[in-house]
Amino acid sequence: MDTPVIELTGVTKSFGPVDVLKGVNLTAYAGKVTALVGDNGAGKSTLIKGLAGVQPYDNGVVKVFGEEVQLHTPREASRLGIEVVYQDLALCENLDIVQNMFLGREELSVGTLDEGVMEREAAQTLQSLSVRTVKSLRQKVSSLSGGQRQTVAIARSVLKKAKVVILDEPTAALGVAQTEQVLNLVRRLADQGVAVIIISHNLVDVFQVADYISVLYLGQMVASVRTEDTNNADVVGYITGSKTYDGAQS
């Protein structure tokens, strides 16, 4: 297999006397969806915040495209093509879709906002992801459904030329149709060659969209397996600690 886009080896993170990550390994490949699952308190959020440069790991090796890197700030992670879509989406409801997609990195022309360029690039990005549920790029985010908001947040990461997109519970609180819409978007994102890491408690969604499943249990990666080689009952067993995996990473 090709070199992983992301390769974590033996990463650790402690908060005072509490060891949250205990030598975790994780890989993510271009064009593939890796699901990161585990019970509350397993260490999923801490693992992702380390990759995002929000809470740097204490120890361990982080490689991006085979090159060892240091991730101390979100800016460093973004420069390497790592983008995170958090559960709260970080969208401004009083702004429209274009303004949200370019928030903080607006295109300028002669000292003013170049609305034409931004609207054109936003439209091209949404079109590349086959997004057809948005009526107008000038809709305020406050008027969008949950699935449409998730779409805007994901499209924003694509606009930033992300090599890795991490999605934190992207289908939480969505209805059936909106969930299907977001999962289809996740697959199209991977089909464009992006390495996608999706955090989810919904195993139905995980088995529908993921190529690989990695399971955290009490700060340790207890299973990393191809989706086609496992089943719902086994994954539940890994999550709860009632089942062990022969190829587990310590």
Side-chain angles (χ1 to χ4, degrees), residues 76-95:
E76 289 176 348
S78 183
R79 194 180 300 123
L80 291 167
I82 302 171
E83 296 291 339
V84 183
V85 179
Y86 292 103
Q87 198 168 343
D88 64 6
L89 303 182
L91 298 175
C92 294
E93 295 201 353
N94 62 318
L95 300 180

Side-chain angles (χ1 to χ4, degrees), residues 194-206:
V194 177
V196 181
I197 299 174
I198 180 172
I199 302 171
S200 180
H201 284 95
N202 190 321
L203 292 185
V204 174
D205 292 352
V206 166

Side-chain angles (χ1 to χ4, degrees), residues 132-216:
R132 300 184 180 88
T133 59
V134 176
K135 293 180 181 178
S136 168
L137 292 173
R138 290 303 179 180
Q139 278 182 271
K140 293 286 178 62
V141 164
S142 59
S143 71
L144 301 179
S145 68
Q148 289 171 324
R149 293 181 188 208
Q150 188 69 242
T151 296
V152 171
I154 293 173
R156 181 172 59 188
S157 68
V158 174
L159 193 62
K160 294 180 180 179
K161 309 299 182 187
K163 302 293 189 297
V164 182
V165 174
I166 302 168
L167 304 172
D168 184 12
E169 297 286 355
T171 59
L174 296 184
V176 174
Q178 293 180 349
T179 294
E180 188 72 15
Q181 169 191 327
V182 170
L183 293 180
N184 287 338
L185 181 58
V186 170
R187 271 296 3 149
R188 289 197 293 272
L189 191 59
D191 290 343
Q192 288 191 356
V194 177
V196 181
I197 299 174
I198 180 172
I199 302 171
S200 180
H201 284 95
N202 190 321
L203 292 185
V204 174
D205 292 352
V206 166
F207 274 90
Q208 181 175 336
V209 77
D211 299 291
Y212 301 94
I213 300 175
S214 294
V215 185
L216 273 173

Side-chain angles (χ1 to χ4, degrees), residues 2-48:
D2 296 336
T3 301
V5 177
I6 294 291
E7 185 176 9
L8 306 181
T9 305
V11 297
T12 65
K13 184 67 180 179
S14 299
F15 297 99
V18 181
D19 296 327
V20 181
L21 299 178
K22 308 168 185 176
V24 172
N25 299 344
L26 176 71
T27 54
Y29 292 89
K32 302 294 183 182
V33 179
T34 300
L36 181 61
V37 302
D39 212 345
N40 292 334
K44 303 186 301 296
S45 294
T46 302
L47 186 65
I48 293 312

Side-chain angles (χ1 to χ4, degrees), residues 44-104:
K44 303 186 301 296
S45 294
T46 302
L47 186 65
I48 293 312
K49 286 177 180 177
L51 256 181
V54 176
Q55 293 176 340
Y57 303 124
D58 295 334
N59 294 291
V61 176
V62 180
K63 290 183 178 180
V64 178
F65 287 108
E67 296 290 329
E68 187 171 342
V69 299
Q70 302 295 322
L71 297 174
H72 294 119
T73 66
R75 187 179 297 274
E76 289 176 348
S78 183
R79 194 180 300 123
L80 291 167
I82 302 171
E83 296 291 339
V84 183
V85 179
Y86 292 103
Q87 198 168 343
D88 64 6
L89 303 182
L91 298 175
C92 294
E93 295 201 353
N94 62 318
L95 300 180
D96 64 32
I97 292 172
V98 175
Q99 291 167 328
N100 267 281
M101 288 178 66
F102 280 90
L103 193 61

